[in-house]
Amino acid sequence: MPASAPRPWIVMKFGGTSVAAPDRWRVIADIARARLDAGERVMIVHSAIAGVSNLLEALPAAALAGAGEAAAEAVKARHREFAAAAGLDADALLAGIFDLIDRRTAGIGYSGEASARLRAELMAQGELMASTLGVECLKAAGLDPVFLDARDALTALNNADEARAWLDNGAGEDADPALQKRLSGADLVLTQGFIARHATGATVLLGRGGSDTSAAYFAARLQAARLEIWTDVPGLFSADPRLTEGARHLRALSYEEAQEIATMGGKVLHPRCIGPARRAGIPMEVRSTLRPELAGTRITGAPGDDAPRLKAVSVKTGVRLVVMEGAGMWRQAGFLADVFAGFKACGVSVDLVSTSETNVTVSLDPDPGLDQARLDRLRETLAPLCRVKIIEDAAAVSLLGYGIRRILHQLAPALEMFQDKPIRLVSQAANDLNFTVVVDESEGAALAKRLHEELISTAPEGAVFGQSWAELARPGAARPARAAPWWTDKRGALLDLAPQTGGLYVYDLETVSARARAVAGIKTLSRAFYAMKANAHRDVLRAIRAAGLGFECVSPGEIARVRETFADIRPDEVLFTPNFAHRSEYEAAVAFGAHLTIDGLHPLTHWPDVFQGADVILRVNPDRPRGHHQHVKTAGPKAKFGIPLDALNDARAAADAAGARVIGLHAHAGSGVTDADHWREIGAILARAARNFPDVRILNCGGGLGVPESPDAPALDLLRVDEELALLKKAHPRFELWMEPGRYPVAEAGVLLARVTQVKHAFGTRFIGLGTGMNSLIRPALYGARHEIVNLTRLGEPGAGMASVVGPICESADLLGADRLLPETHEGDVMLIAETGAYGAVMASRYNLREPAGEAVI
Ligand code: ASP
Ligand code: MG
């Protein structure tokens, strides 16, 4: 009897969110069981529990700062939490790994060093812990997995660069008969992504996000019939959904197109995972564990559509340009060879290239390993060949799709916005899949959005494009929903308040109180001062003060507002932090007795008498810009705020000479930050700077606590902020910690209401006009900010296609939101623009001599 063909292998990769809780593993078990029932064999390759790799990556730094124990505890706590939910005993199952983490952490603390090899070993524990727990979950679901330590199957390549060898390596992808034989008796195998073994036997990593790559290696080695990448989104999209909710689901792509999208900054697939699948001819599918019923994106050699077509727009920020100029290059054989040899010698990888007779410009991808020292070395190496200029803060906007050359003419209207803004580099890829322009970072997102709107948003559904992100996300009952916003409960009252013409801001005082209390509840903080520039409405200020917050004021007007509102205000409740203010403003603040922040040398050196005998706080520029838009980054070499770290000694001398006492240091790096460790990092920088300041007892870590821009965006967890600050406090107990949140307490508490004036259909777009626009709310135009917009009158009615929501101001930028899924909408409907409690009314203007929205509280 002829042996029947062996049953095909399906390799499935599950990412961090897909393995983050026992109920997620039940979904994995169901997906695996369906494949087994269909006669296929299954290998599961998975990541560490979401967030754990980050915790492990940060462990060495914490250990070096003397806070290793607490940081290791956080890793363990995350797994105990998982285990508890699964009815498992983490301390028993993971005893060996917990012990290893403790010993390594302590070792780093003693020795004061952490080699790349050691870091790799530590981070690998994330995948190994998840695997140990995962086996139990699969067993509990009635499956019988074979456990494979991925390091016993994947041997890392040789790599000369020490850091790359340990942390960012690759492995072989040839068919592996030995592995096939070893697993021949197995139906279901569970193994880890991200980790492999060095020739010496030690553990090696495949780069952050490298579990996808592991899965591709395994698929190639097993000659699998399919590689499935399971993540938390149902495939690849025509744009990052955070850029536009009109981003369209991509149903089918070629390997080459998927490679371009992944490489150009799509975060869904690791760029390195496509090559092995392509070379082995293994079809890939990208699917969502949150919506397993959706078909996902299929990636193959022949996606069955060969018309030239634009498929995606991407924007990559943090790009650098190296501009090389010189007469010497004209008709010089070997000039480019010499230049590129210089890049090679300095270990700098080049992305795009454009050349002219006297100028060669290249772009460099954002790379945390590319530090100032390396750039300086590059500059020196190139100096004998040409003049070198390095431009920071550029963004690369790319159009991707097969046959891009033949559709360039369609771009013309969208490129109009560059009439008065420079395009710094244009590159059309040799493979005809990619056309990229490099522009200033602040223009990148706007350009990408515009191109997407003009070229993709309204394309019909078919073999290539599926539904939009908004359409897929909204009906998603399986998507973890945030609590319904307050304005759904108070809809009736809001509809009654909505004015017939113009607009009205409405603030929900219960929400203000709740958010302000949450800030006041950050236990490690000694004081929090509300940055009242965000919203200075008197009732809002009352709610804030009742929650126990002080006020951060930036002008005499704001101080006056506080003093008028509260007859009994104590000077100690006010923190005055002006920027480039007139001398008289400082005099008034000192006379009043407010806490005072000085953010430059000029006041101290030119008006020493003002500060004689005063206690002052110095604002430092931590040289580490953060924030959701260029204009809200308030640190770094381009920001006008703060004293550079290297000028602090001069500032102290000036303060001493003036007879002032420096009792605090302050930094605020930008707003819209959602990484919980940000304020600890700022605090650590301040603590280091405070070494030369014997009287400093206050570290003000600034504000900028982010508020999510859409229901699916990551939200900041204040408990995590507190945990991080506690690490700081533990390392530096002598300081009190302060913060000064502005947007956080008020943004979600405010909505802007306006009625629909007109609806227009033009060039395939539905425009919905409102009674007010950028004269009331300038954030979309100024920052490219995204605000949720709903038709309050028809709340809950199904979407009737995408729309652009605009105001009545005579400016093209009077666009409150583009590409929004909205129901059938009519003149007179009340529209609600959410999360406008911060920097809404306070930034309004009378432009066009239209009165901006009024204000009311509820
Ligand atoms: N856990 C690793 C990381 O977060 C690998 C992965 O998730 O793909 O980078
Ligand atoms: Mg990933």
Side-chain angles (χ1 to χ4, degrees):
M1 218 172 62
S4 59
R7 284 174 302 133
W9 279 108
I10 308 298
V11 175
M12 308 195 296
K13 181 261 170 172
F14 292 91
T17 34
S18 303
V19 299
D23 61 335
R24 312 300 314 141
W25 280 91
R26 280 193 279 282
V27 176
I28 297 177
D30 288 344
I31 295 169
R33 195 175 291 109
R35 307 291 179 280
L36 294 170
D37 289 348
E40 294 165 329
R41 294 189 289 171
V42 172
M43 172 183 269
I44 294 172
V45 181
H46 66 83
S47 303
I49 291 173
V52 168
S53 297
N54 289 343
L55 292 177
L56 289 168
E57 195 170 36
L59 237 180
L64 292 172
E69 216 170 292
E73 242 353 91
V75 173
K76 292 187 243 169
R78 184 68 193 83
H79 293 87
R80 287 194 187 112
E81 183 192 324
F82 179 112
L88 298 169
D89 180 353
D91 288 278
L93 281 169
L94 304 175
I97 299 183
F98 282 4
D99 182 50
L100 183 146
I101 292 176
D102 285 341
R103 278 184 290 121
R104 294 292 181 271
T105 308
I108 295 171
Y110 298 137
S111 68
E113 61 193 359
S115 65
R117 175 180 164 150
L118 191 98
R119 287 166 196 267
E121 187 192 21
L122 262 178
M123 285 189 76
Q125 305 311 315
E127 266 65 14
L128 291 166
M129 286 186 280
S131 231
T132 310
L133 297 170
V135 168
E136 301 304 322
C137 293
L138 292 179
K139 283 189 189 152
L143 295 171
D144 185 18
V146 172
F147 179 88
L148 172 71
D149 185 325
R151 296 171 296 182
D152 295 340
L154 298 182
T155 308
L157 306 175
N158 288 324
N159 202 323
D161 180 320
E162 168 78 6
R164 290 252 150 91
W166 294 106
L167 300 171
D168 194 10
N169 213 323
E173 57 180 69
D174 291 338
D176 183 347
L179 180 66
Q180 290 173 25
K181 181 143 173 269
R182 184 157 136 215
L183 299 178
S184 60
D187 283 325
L188 174 62
V189 175
L190 178 73
T191 192
Q192 312 77 40
F194 191 43
I195 63 178
R197 212 183 282 293
H198 193 261
T200 58
T203 302
V204 164
L205 303 180
L206 303 180
R208 289 308 308 266
S211 293
D212 296 351
T213 320
S214 298
Y217 291 146
F218 276 116
R221 296 173 88 104
L222 291 177
Q223 296 175 292
R226 196 165 62 246
L227 167 60
E228 301 179 353
I229 304 283
W230 288 85
T231 171
D232 46 8
V233 292
L236 288 105
F237 282 77
S238 62
D240 185 333
R242 281 168 302 186
L243 182 73
T244 165
E245 294 220 323
R248 301 287 297 275
H249 185 235
L250 292 164
R251 290 181 170 150
L253 292 172
S254 67
Y255 293 116
E256 290 77 9
E257 288 168 327
Q259 180 76 57
E260 287 291 323
I261 292 176
T263 313
M264 293 315 297
K267 293 270 161 25
V268 178
L269 276 183
H270 194 290
R272 236 185 262 156
C273 80
I274 297 162
R278 173 169 58 80
R279 288 186 284 271
I282 299 171
M284 297 176 67
E285 278 176 14
V286 183
R287 303 184 59 172
S288 165
T289 40
L290 299 176
R291 305 284 303 277
E293 74 285 4
L294 297 177
T297 300
R298 199 170 155 80
I299 303 168
T300 59
D305 115 271
D306 35 24
R309 171 117 72 161
L310 182 62
K311 294 198 180 146
V313 175
S314 77
V315 53
K316 183 163 57 183
T317 52
V319 170
R320 289 188 178 89
L321 289 175
V322 182
V323 182
M324 293 163 281
E325 267 175 333
M329 66 212 311
W330 189 51
R331 291 197 176 160
Q332 273 298 311
F335 178 78
L336 285 179
D338 293 345
V339 161
F340 286 125
F343 281 86
K344 180 172 179 189
C346 299
V348 176
S349 144
V350 166
D351 185 25
L352 306 168
V353 180
S354 93
T355 67
S356 75
E357 281 172 1
T358 57
N359 176 312
V360 178
T361 299
V362 303
S363 75
L364 311 181
D365 271 349
D367 173 2
L370 187 54
D371 52 11
Q372 200 51 49
R374 203 183 278 230
L375 286 173
D376 290 343
R377 193 139 48 85
L378 179 69
R379 210 190 288 268
E380 278 162 33
T381 310
L382 298 175
L385 301 168
C386 49
R387 279 195 306 282
V388 182
K389 190 165 131 201
I390 299 182
I391 300 177
E392 306 269 343
D393 291 338
V397 176
S398 297
L399 302 172
L400 311 158
Y402 163 73
I404 200 95
R405 277 173 217 168
R406 274 169 285 172
I407 53 174
L408 286 181
H409 63 277
Q410 298 171 9
L411 311 185
L415 291 175
E416 260 173 22
M417 68 182 270
F418 284 93
Q419 262 168 6
D420 50 7
K421 292 169 187 145
I423 293 187
R424 302 203 174 264
L425 184 154
V426 175
S427 152
Q428 183 240 312
N431 62 10
D432 201 15
L433 280 166
N434 166 336
F435 175 82
T436 298
V437 295
V438 179
V439 298
D440 288 346
E441 191 161 271
S442 54
E443 310 298 340
L447 174 64
K449 257 188 202 171
R450 176 94 169 252
L451 287 164
H452 190 273
E453 256 160 53
E454 303 240 354
L455 301 169
I456 298 184
S457 286
T458 51
E461 248 183 83
V464 175
F465 295 114
Q467 288 184 306
S468 68
W469 174 268
E471 288 161 316
L472 283 168
R474 294 296 171 260
R479 199 157 266 281
R482 267 205 293 161
W486 63 267
W487 42 262
T488 52
D489 292 340
K490 299 187 181 174
R491 172 169 173 260
L494 289 171
L495 287 173
D496 292 342
L497 280 170
Q500 287 306 318
T501 59
L504 181 70
Y505 280 103
V506 184
Y507 309 127
D508 180 46
L509 294 179
E510 287 178 32
T511 303
V512 175
S513 298
R515 293 290 179 279
R517 278 199 303 267
V519 172
I522 301 180
K523 293 194 297 292
T524 318
L525 284 185
S526 302
R527 303 285 302 269
F529 295 85
Y530 164 61
M532 66 176 284
K533 58 181 173 294
N535 185 326
H537 191 279
R538 287 192 170 79
D539 292 332
V540 169
L541 298 184
R542 286 187 191 102
I544 296 268
R545 187 174 185 227
L549 270 55
F551 297 100
E552 192 241 344
C553 303
V554 295
S555 71
E558 288 187 353
I559 296 184
R561 169 70 59 94
V562 170
R563 296 180 73 174
E564 282 155 28
T565 310
F566 307 105
D568 62 342
I569 194 88
R570 289 172 288 112
D572 170 56
E573 290 176 80
V574 176
L575 168 62
F576 187 50
T577 306
N579 175 250
F580 287 97
H582 189 265
R583 168 186 176 130
S584 58
E585 298 186 10
Y586 295 86
E587 286 167 350
V590 171
F592 173 51
H595 299 286
L596 178 60
T597 310
I598 295 181
D599 93 339
L601 290 181
H602 187 113
L604 291 170
T605 50
H606 288 70
W607 325 314
D609 46 313
V610 175
F611 306 103
Q612 165 78 52
D615 286 346
V616 300
I617 297 169
L618 297 182
R619 175 168 183 168
V620 177
N621 181 334
D623 196 4
R624 177 180 279 250
R626 293 292 282 268
H628 59 82
H629 186 276
Q630 197 59 35
H631 296 174
V632 298
K633 290 179 185 165
T634 50
K638 289 188 185 156
K640 64 169 182 153
F641 298 97
I643 302 168
L645 283 168
D646 56 15
L648 270 185
N649 281 338
D650 296 343
R652 200 206 34 223
D656 286 348
R661 198 157 63 121
V662 179
I663 58 158
L665 294 180
H666 162 55
H668 171 64
S671 76
V673 180
T674 50
D675 299 331
D677 57 2
H678 171 70
W679 297 273
R680 171 174 61 73
E681 285 177 11
I682 292 288
I685 294 172
L686 293 178
R688 222 169 300 133
R691 284 191 198 134
N692 297 330
F693 289 86
D695 295 328
V696 165
R697 57 177 174 80
I698 297 160
L699 304 182
N700 179 355
C701 304
L705 295 96
V707 175
E709 282 196 341
S710 72
D712 310 310
L716 182 67
D717 180 351
L718 290 193
L719 292 175
R720 289 267 305 106
V721 174
D722 204 357
E723 284 168 20
E724 293 285 345
L725 288 176
L727 293 176
L728 176 70
K729 180 86 185 173
K730 196 164 169 215
H732 304 283
R734 84 170 162 109
F735 301 114
E736 0 180 314
L737 304 180
W738 291 10
M739 271 173 85
E740 40 174 40
R743 239 172 97 60
Y744 191 86
V746 291
E748 289 166 284
V751 296
L752 173 59
L753 303 176
R755 283 183 198 271
V756 174
T757 53
Q758 304 183 18
V759 179
K760 176 196 280 189
H761 292 267
F763 303 107
T765 299
R766 173 168 61 138
F767 292 96
I768 296 177
L770 305 191
T772 195
M774 67 191 291
N775 53 330
S776 295
L777 181 67
I778 201 168
R779 297 188 78 248
L782 191 61
Y783 305 139
R786 183 190 186 284
H787 289 269
E788 182 81 3
I789 303 179
V790 300
N791 184 327
L792 195 63
T793 306
R794 294 169 211 283
L795 196 64
E797 286 187 18
M802 308 306 280
S804 286
V805 181
V806 299
I809 301 299
C810 292
E811 288 287 339
S812 295
D814 190 21
L815 175 66
L816 296 165
D819 277 338
R820 301 308 177 83
L821 182 65
L822 287 168
E824 205 56 66
T825 293
H826 300 275
E827 179 185 341
D829 285 358
V830 176
M831 304 292 285
L832 176 148
I833 307 179
E835 274 143 36
T836 44
Y839 303 103
V842 287
M843 290 179 104
S845 77
R846 293 186 65 236
Y847 185 37
N848 283 194
L849 299 191
R850 285 186 185 277
E851 284 306 320
E855 297 178 88
V857 295
I858 190 167

